[in-house]
């Protein structure tokens, strides 16, 4: 994993707390986790948005119908 799974996202004016997370199973399916920092994201919320790349797991056919 290139970047830490938890990064500081709150508050945007002085990020001190890693409050925002992405939970996946299995843990190895989380390929990347990052925080989007831009002037627009600072205006949009008091939390920075997070992004994640996740490797989708194969779902058995019988579970897809649920």
């Amino acid at each position: 994993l290139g970047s830490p799974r938890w990064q500081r996202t709150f508050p945007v004016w002085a990020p001190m707390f890693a409050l925002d997370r992405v939970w996946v199973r299995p843990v190895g399916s989380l390929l990347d986790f990052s925080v989007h920092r831009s002037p627009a994201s600072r205006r949009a919320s008091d939390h920075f948005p997070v992004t994640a790349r996740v490797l989708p797991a194969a779902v058995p056919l019988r579970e897809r119908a649920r």
Side-chain angles (χ1 to χ4, degrees), residues 2-48:
S3 55
R5 291 186 183 163
W6 320 127
Q7 296 182 35
R8 295 175 182 173
T9 58
F10 178 81
V12 294
W13 52 88
M16 295 181 283
F17 305 106
L19 299 180
D20 304 286
R21 293 175 170 55
V22 174
W23 296 92
V24 296
R25 277 193 174 179
V27 174
S29 63
L30 181 61
L31 301 176
D32 186 46
F33 177 86
S34 61
V35 176
H36 177 77
R37 292 180 170 92
S38 71
S41 66
R42 286 181 185 274
R43 289 188 304 273
S45 176
D46 57 349
H47 291 249
F48 278 118

